Amino acid sequence: MSYYIAPRFLDKLAVHITKNFLNLPGVRVPLILGIHGRKGEGKSFQCELVFEKMGIEVTLISGGELESPDAGDPARLIRLRYRETAELIKVRGKMCVLMINDLDAGAGRFDEGTQYTVNTQLVNATLMNIADNPTDVQLPGSYDSTPLHRVPIIVTGNDFSTLYAPLIRDGRMEKFYWEPDRDDKVGIVGGIFEADGLSRREVEQLVDTFANQSIDFFSALRSRIYDEQIRKFIHEIGFERVSLRVVNSVEGPPQFKKPDFSLSHLIESGHLMVGEQKRVENSKLVDEYNRLNRGRSYQPAPPPAVTPTSEPSTNGFQKHNVSSTHLSLETQAQIRQILSQGYKISIEHVDERRFRTGSWQSCVNSHIDAESDAISNLESSLAEYSGEYVRLVAIDPKAKRRILETIIQRPNGKN
């Protein structure tokens, strides 16, 4: 099966990769190419096709590898694979690239509630450092003065506005927004259904019928056509014997005849898939659950029988001992000051083990904009998480960023 490579996509990747392997005097070439766009438009798959066409070897990093319980591991992983790829270029004598899929999912910040961990900061800083010094990338704890070969970096994502702004500036990252036009879609979908006998006119009609769907919709549609035969196969042999017949069977894997890939059947199945999409979009059960949780008001914790002593902090907050859940006047005044400026308040907690990695968790389900709610929620959180760190967070709802993060309780009364 021959797949379609969009000419714009091929041109952009080929120019960027080739330019990074050339010595252009007086020209600063961005090391990173960021490919972003809507979900399911085939960004990663188009990259694979380009790499195969150009004979390029690729070292992959997933966005899920950019977080770890141990601070510093993801940043070290990026440096290690960059050095490995540079060595591949030297040994193989051919173009190689480092590719990071879904960078925004691993290092982006989607809203004011997203935790910004130590690893997120280190990943951003590491990529910035590599982009600035592509031939001098060292591993922590070791130093090798031998210059490395420059390795182009390709990153994919949906929304690069969630990334750290200095990382995506033009000198470090060249941006390419991928949105296939109708001709691209017809070519890609034609490649998906090439073995199924659809004419170009039928492919065009299929694309026009589902014009708002992404590329992965058509791939899932082709897979769905086989469901009827597989369902019939399961009913014929019985649910109890499916495992024995499919896995390690002496009869070999089951064979299926070519399904009905007529245009009318594809359109009918496609409309069923669209209906399922709409049911997901319209259900919005999470909003209902959050609305129910927001309706549960927190009761203020009763004041302690004996008021413990506390040490005032320099920023107006009070550092509480474990047994204290009654807010000081200074803390209450600070809450009023935050809310009077139009900011909202969130409360977070973390145990001692996760404190080292910055993995804070929210104590409340929504941001607070009323003084009484803030005080009662904070007192309840201090009581419920008495053996953990608790911090107060001020959030600017317009800029969607955090203005202040202050720890007001430490476990076991430690400063």
Side-chain angles (χ1 to χ4, degrees):
M1 181 182 295
S2 62
Y3 291 103
Y4 173 89
I5 305 177
R8 288 185 298 121
F9 207 103
L10 175 61
D11 177 78
K12 192 67 177 181
L13 257 71
V15 169
H16 176 81
I17 294 171
T18 304
K19 191 163 60 172
N20 270 277
F21 280 90
L22 298 176
N23 183 17
L24 303 175
V27 177
R28 180 180 176 84
V29 179
L31 184 74
I32 305 173
L33 173 63
I35 305 171
H36 61 118
R38 289 199 317 158
K39 59 182 174 63
E41 296 291 12
K43 295 180 289 293
S44 298
F45 187 60
Q46 285 286 302
C47 285
E48 293 175 14
L49 296 178
V50 172
F51 296 150
E52 183 178 353
K53 183 178 183 66
M54 297 182 64
I56 295 173
E57 289 197 28
V58 57
T59 303
L60 288 173
I61 298 178
S62 166
E65 297 179 90
L66 302 182
E67 189 55 82
S68 169
D70 301 317
D73 274 2
R76 187 179 187 279
L77 175 69
I78 292 174
R79 290 179 176 273
L80 180 62
R81 293 194 180 168
Y82 184 92
R83 291 180 61 91
E84 290 174 349
T85 310
E87 187 65 22
L88 273 178
I89 296 173
K90 179 180 176 181
V91 173
R92 304 283 176 84
K94 60 189 298 187
M95 287 181 173
C96 300
V97 301
L98 176 64
M99 182 172 180
I100 305 177
N101 279 315
D102 305 313
L103 177 63
D104 56 337
R109 190 164 188 173
F110 293 89
D111 54 33
E112 62 271 17
T114 305
Q115 298 296 328
Y116 212 66
T117 66
V118 173
N119 278 324
T120 308
Q121 297 170 351
L122 291 177
V123 165
N124 281 295
T126 297
L127 288 173
M128 289 164 56
N129 177 255
I130 294 175
D132 293 338
N133 304 281
T135 61
D136 184 19
V137 178
Q138 308 299 330
L139 293 176
S142 64
Y143 183 78
D144 182 4
S145 60
T146 306
L148 297 174
H149 200 292
R150 186 184 180 99
V151 179
I153 299 177
I154 311 294
V155 300
T156 65
N158 297 123
D159 186 358
F160 281 174
S161 67
T162 63
L163 296 175
Y164 187 49
L167 172 62
I168 63 174
R169 69 173 176 83
D170 291 334
R172 291 179 175 136
M173 180 187 294
E174 186 175 0
K175 276 77 68 180
F176 174 49
Y177 183 74
W178 171 237
E179 183 177 20
D181 55 25
R182 183 179 181 275
D183 290 339
D184 291 328
K185 279 191 174 183
V186 169
I188 295 172
V189 175
I192 294 173
F193 290 97
E194 181 184 22
D196 305 317
L198 265 69
S199 66
R200 181 176 178 82
R201 184 189 62 79
E202 290 175 321
V203 170
E204 290 176 348
Q205 188 173 344
L206 181 64
V207 169
D208 292 338
T209 302
F210 303 103
N212 295 325
Q213 296 295 330
S214 58
I215 296 297
D216 66 348
F217 171 85
F218 299 97
S219 180
L221 174 60
R222 185 176 189 273
S223 173
R224 190 183 182 111
I225 298 298
Y226 282 88
D227 289 0
E228 299 170 2
Q229 292 195 42
I230 295 173
R231 186 179 297 110
K232 180 180 178 181
F233 164 75
I234 293 173
H235 283 284
E236 285 178 351
I237 67 171
F239 290 91
E240 301 82 2
R241 298 186 61 249
V242 171
S243 177
L244 295 175
R245 177 64 183 84
V246 173
V247 181
N248 293 330
S249 172
V250 295
E251 303 175 52
Q255 300 293 324
F256 299 101
K257 65 179 182 179
K258 185 177 179 179
D260 177 13
F261 280 106
S262 63
L263 180 60
S264 59
H265 191 204
L266 287 171
I267 292 177
E268 179 186 357
S269 300
H271 283 306
L272 292 175
M273 292 174 61
V274 171
E276 292 169 358
Q277 292 177 358
K278 291 181 178 178
R279 278 191 289 272
V280 172
E281 295 171 358
N282 295 334
S283 63
K284 296 183 179 179
L285 291 176
V286 67
D287 291 342
E288 180 181 342
Y289 299 152
N290 288 337
R291 187 167 58 251
L292 291 173
N293 286 330
R294 284 194 294 268
R296 299 174 184 171
S297 59
Y298 289 85
Q299 297 300 322
V306 179
T307 304
T309 59
S310 58
E311 179 184 354
S313 62
T314 57
N315 58 11
F317 283 95
Q318 202 82 2
K319 293 181 180 178
H320 295 264
N321 290 331
V322 176
S323 60
S324 174
T325 59
H326 187 64
L327 298 185
S328 67
L329 295 177
E330 291 87 353
T331 304
Q332 295 180 39
Q334 188 73 11
I335 290 175
R336 283 193 294 272
Q337 181 181 358
I338 292 172
L339 295 176
S340 67
Q341 295 176 359
Y343 300 143
K344 294 187 178 183
I345 286 176
S346 182
I347 306 166
E348 298 176 340
H349 71 96
V350 68
D351 57 27
E352 289 191 83
R353 183 177 68 85
R354 294 184 180 273
F355 177 75
R356 293 190 293 271
T357 61
S359 302
W360 292 81
Q361 295 179 311
S362 179
C363 300
V364 293
N365 292 318
S366 59
H367 299 142
I368 305 168
D369 54 9
E371 180 185 345
S372 59
D373 291 343
I375 292 175
S376 62
N377 276 282
L378 185 54
E379 288 179 338
S380 298
S381 298
L382 292 173
E384 183 176 356
Y385 304 105
S386 59
E388 301 184 11
Y389 293 87
V390 176
R391 74 179 179 187
L392 195 66
V393 181
I395 298 168
D396 185 346
K398 295 181 180 179
K400 294 184 178 181
R401 63 187 181 93
R402 298 181 174 212
I403 304 300
L404 177 70
E405 295 176 342
T406 304
I407 297 175
I408 62 173
Q409 173 176 282
R410 298 173 182 270
N412 303 321
K414 293 188 292 185
N415 293 333

